[in-house]
């Protein structure tokens, strides 16, 4: 009997709704892979259209994520978990990300779900890439694991959109991937809500047939994502929203938002890890 996979294909929609200073909305279809890091070898053996560290229609290169060194991703994530006051116990780490497509990928956001052996999510790593080739991540400990929705917050530390200020705060609302995935990210300034981004997707078993259907339904996803970013930027600029200067990225690649019961390194419980 074929071994059941925890990894999966998620197909759905992303929407953005900006409220101020001008209203702007966008919506597009996309698919992502939820990859259990412990299943990489199995996925590489089982699937013909997906490979690990090799060119294929779909592929995943561990060096594309984390610090880009190609060193063990689990070890990198575990180090950040410990620094955020969460001791890893060997539970699964699953990353929601867009794979390389014909050797090329761009991920505005990749999400690492860090589980305990009891099956609960103990921390989430939000890894953000901008179009300038820069990357920053937010490792946030999960405080309340009893509800269906996980709610997390942190201050913005990394320049992403040239049309958004830096003095902002994020609120993440996540329904952990099962049959469905729901992620909502709200961005606030001192006057209130500025932007809401939502990602809603449905789980599909990860097979060659499912990958082929996804490719046909949304061809050349990477090009569509990159092209969409610049097209929407042009429309925002034409609405009269001015560009913000781009600061240097944070010196440390991961911002840590520690558990409330842990001793914070700053007054807000946020710090960085080198």
């Amino acid at each position: 009997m074929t071994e059941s996979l925890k990894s999966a294909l998620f197909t759905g929609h992303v929407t953005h709704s900006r409220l101020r200073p001008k209203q702007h909305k966008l919506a597009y279809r996309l698919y992502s892979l939820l990859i259990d890091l412990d299943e990489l070898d199995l996925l590489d053996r089982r699937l013909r259209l997906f490979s690990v560290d090799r060119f294929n229609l779909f592929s995943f290169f561990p060096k594309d994520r984390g610090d880009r060194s190609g060193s063990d991703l689990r070890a990198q994530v575990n180090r950040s978990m410990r620094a955020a006051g969460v001791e890893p116990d060997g539970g699964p780490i699953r990353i929601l990300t867009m794979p390389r497509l014909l050797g090329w990928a761009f991920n505005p956001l990749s999400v690492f779900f860090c589980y305990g052996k009891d099956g609960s999510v103990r921390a989430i790593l939000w890894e953000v890439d901008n179009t300038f080739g820069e990357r920053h991540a937010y490792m946030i400990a999960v405080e309340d694991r009893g509800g269906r929705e996980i709610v997390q917050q942190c201050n913005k530390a990394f320049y992403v959109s040239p049309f958004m200020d830096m003095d902002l705060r994020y609120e993440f609302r996540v329904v952990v991937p099962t049959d469905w995935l729901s992620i909502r990210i709200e961005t606030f300034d001192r006057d209130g809500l500025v932007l809401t981004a939502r990602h809603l997707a449905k789980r599909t078993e990860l097979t060659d047939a499912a990958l082929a259907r996804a490719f046909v339904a949304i061809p050349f996803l990477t090009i569509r994502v990159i092209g969409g970013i610049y097209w929407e930027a042009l429309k925002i600029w034409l609405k009269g929203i001015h560009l913000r200067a781009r600061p240097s990225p944070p010196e440390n690649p991961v911002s840590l938002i520690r558990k409330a019961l842990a001793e914070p390194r700053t007054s807000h419980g946020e710090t960085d890890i080198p």
Side-chain angles (χ1 to χ4, degrees), residues 50-251:
F50 174 86
S51 296
V52 177
D53 274 335
R54 291 184 293 113
F55 178 85
N56 204 332
L57 180 61
F58 297 91
S59 55
F60 177 75
F61 284 67
K63 67 180 181 181
D64 290 341
R65 307 267 46 94
D67 63 9
R68 296 188 173 99
S69 68
S71 63
D72 185 71
L73 278 177
R74 175 180 282 276
Q76 293 185 46
V77 175
N78 284 347
R79 184 172 70 248
S80 295
M81 287 177 67
R82 291 189 182 96
V86 181
E87 185 61 32
D89 67 359
I93 296 176
R94 297 173 187 146
I95 173 176
L96 183 76
T97 190
M98 285 187 288
R100 286 197 191 191
L101 184 60
L102 294 172
W104 191 36
F106 173 71
N107 276 280
L109 176 67
S110 296
V111 186
F112 291 76
F113 295 94
C114 308
Y115 291 81
K117 285 185 176 181
D118 62 359
S120 65
V121 177
R122 305 184 66 205
I124 299 177
L125 179 72
W126 304 86
E127 189 175 80
V128 184
D129 287 70
N130 63 25
T131 54
F132 304 97
E134 299 166 339
R135 172 175 298 164
H136 189 71
Y138 304 87
M139 171 60 82
I140 309 180
V142 173
E143 297 286 354
D144 182 6
R145 291 178 271 164
R148 181 170 178 267
E149 184 180 66
I150 295 172
V151 181
Q152 299 183 310
Q153 296 181 355
C154 70
N155 292 325
K156 180 180 179 180
F158 179 59
Y159 183 89
V160 182
S161 167
F163 301 101
M164 299 289 286
D165 295 321
M166 289 296 298
D167 186 16
L168 299 171
R169 187 162 184 84
Y170 297 129
E171 181 173 282
F172 306 93
R173 293 183 175 270
V174 188
V175 176
V176 176
T178 52
D179 291 336
W180 287 89
L181 162 74
S182 175
I183 296 175
R184 186 172 80 210
I185 303 174
E186 295 180 331
T187 304
F188 297 87
D189 64 11
R190 294 180 180 179
D191 296 321
L193 183 64
V194 177
L195 183 144
T196 299
R198 290 185 174 91
H199 180 190
L200 182 64
K202 183 178 180 180
R203 181 188 184 102
T204 302
E205 185 180 356
L206 186 51
T207 64
D208 285 314
L211 289 171
R213 287 193 296 269
F215 178 79
V216 172
I218 312 176
F220 304 107
L221 176 62
T222 304
I223 295 174
R224 293 162 70 97
V225 169
I226 292 288
I229 289 172
Y230 287 110
W231 174 241
E232 296 299 333
L234 175 61
K235 290 193 288 185
I236 291 172
W237 180 75
L238 290 174
K239 289 182 178 182
I241 301 177
H242 66 274
L243 298 172
R244 274 67 166 178
R246 176 163 64 99
S248 299
E251 180 179 351

